[in-house]
Amino acid sequence: MSRRILSGAALACALSSSAAMAAQDCCPIVELRQYTMYPGKRDELISLFEDRFIESQEATGMRIAATFRDLADPDRFVWVRGFADMQKRHDALTAFYYGPVWQANRNQANATLADNDNVLLLHPAFAGSGFALDGLARPARGDIAASRLVVATIYYLREDTLAEFAAAFRREMAPLLEGRGARILAQYVTDRSRNTFERLPVREKENVFVSFAAFDDADAYDRHLKALAADQRWRAMQAAAAARMEGAPQTLRLAPTPRSLVR
């Protein structure tokens, strides 16, 4: 949905309506996309997205795993889409962005977007750590959004410490977080593959570990944070993690939109 794709002859593309995805993970490759909207335009884009851009993207072989409102920023829309591999990513994005649905609706969509280049290309941190979507049915248009809170934490790491941090998170941090009330949904790390669809830029210089966790509601998350703050083991883990980081973690408090699979 890049503002850079504004013109060009339509390509004749016919791709399979589904791609082979690993059973234990939604997708071997995912994009975490954070869009900044023009003031007051987020709900307009979400309505358009859920009506026109979910099935039409999935028909090309990609998977729309999650769509969220950022609770801390009324002008931010966050979403995750996945692919079977980088070649299929190229094929699916080409089919969609040069296809009839995007061509018919791109002006309306682009008019809501102040910035849509904040994109991280990721893969599951280890086997089975991606979103597990098998068996989930897409909510119908008009369904009520889930009340659950999803928290995404993005850890910015030095390249030489990324694998070490991921292992430590899996071994030590995740069990403690779940013991304090979090439900870990997925864990991803930076993917270093060449961007196969250059008209949609990605943040190629980042080294990140991204964790998604679910909570029943905001009160449950507040209790979780208080429990962590009182836990000496967590404070020690945080100190060890800080030595591997290039900057402070980014925390996104997210509310699933009505048709999000992750909810």
Side-chain angles (χ1 to χ4, degrees):
M1 189 180 295
S2 173
R3 294 179 61 82
R4 300 184 181 205
I5 301 179
L6 299 176
S7 62
L11 299 180
C13 297
L15 298 179
S16 168
S17 63
S18 62
M21 303 294 185
Q24 68 270 33
D25 294 323
C26 155
C27 319
I29 297 290
V30 302
E31 298 170 348
L32 172 57
R33 310 186 67 86
Q34 299 182 56
Y35 287 1
T36 299
M37 318 303 300
Y38 288 118
K41 293 292 186 178
R42 182 170 69 181
D43 284 350
E44 180 181 339
L45 179 67
I46 289 172
S47 178
L48 180 66
F49 191 100
E50 298 207 325
D51 186 51
R52 306 287 178 84
F53 296 150
I54 292 180
E55 282 79 6
S56 58
Q57 289 187 83
E58 292 194 330
T60 70
M62 64 184 92
R63 193 83 183 273
I64 308 305
T67 47
F68 303 110
R69 290 177 171 88
D70 186 331
L71 294 175
D73 185 345
D75 298 320
R76 180 167 297 195
F77 173 57
V78 179
W79 60 295
V80 179
R81 66 179 168 191
F83 310 86
D85 57 43
M86 291 302 288
Q87 181 59 50
K88 288 185 172 63
R89 174 178 179 267
H90 168 271
D91 294 344
L93 295 177
T94 299
F96 175 71
Y97 287 110
Y98 289 101
V101 175
W102 176 250
Q103 295 295 315
N105 294 280
R106 65 185 183 185
N107 290 341
Q108 183 179 354
N110 285 335
T112 70
L113 297 170
D115 178 77
N116 61 334
D117 290 348
N118 185 351
V119 180
L120 293 170
L121 189 65
L122 310 168
H123 64 252
F126 50 87
S129 73
F131 287 122
L133 304 180
D134 285 357
L136 296 183
R138 175 79 61 190
R141 293 175 178 85
D143 276 10
I144 297 174
S147 60
R148 182 177 296 155
L149 173 69
V150 174
V151 176
T153 307
I154 305 173
Y155 298 90
Y156 295 91
L157 301 156
R158 300 196 314 273
E159 186 173 8
D160 63 322
T161 66
L162 183 55
E164 184 181 74
F165 178 89
F169 190 96
R170 180 184 188 185
R171 181 181 63 249
E172 301 168 1
M173 297 171 72
L176 191 148
L177 291 169
E178 293 193 316
R180 292 290 182 260
R183 184 166 69 85
I184 303 294
L185 299 175
Q187 298 157 74
Y188 293 98
V189 294
T190 294
D191 189 275
R192 288 295 175 204
S193 300
R194 180 183 66 84
N195 183 2
T196 52
F197 194 78
E198 294 182 355
R199 295 193 183 191
L200 295 183
V202 299
R203 291 161 58 187
E204 296 178 338
K205 297 182 179 180
E206 306 287 1
N207 301 289
V208 302
F209 179 95
V210 184
S211 171
F212 290 86
F215 300 86
D216 288 341
D217 51 34
D219 288 341
Y221 181 54
D222 288 342
R223 292 192 297 271
H224 169 79
L225 293 178
K226 289 177 182 177
L228 291 179
D231 193 312
Q232 272 190 318
R233 294 172 301 162
W234 180 249
R235 292 199 296 271
M237 290 177 193
Q238 290 294 88
R244 302 182 176 110
M245 293 183 194
E246 287 199 331
Q250 178 186 9
T251 301
L252 304 175
R253 294 188 303 112
L254 307 171
T257 68
R259 303 197 67 209
S260 179
L261 281 176
V262 175
R263 46 196 286 124

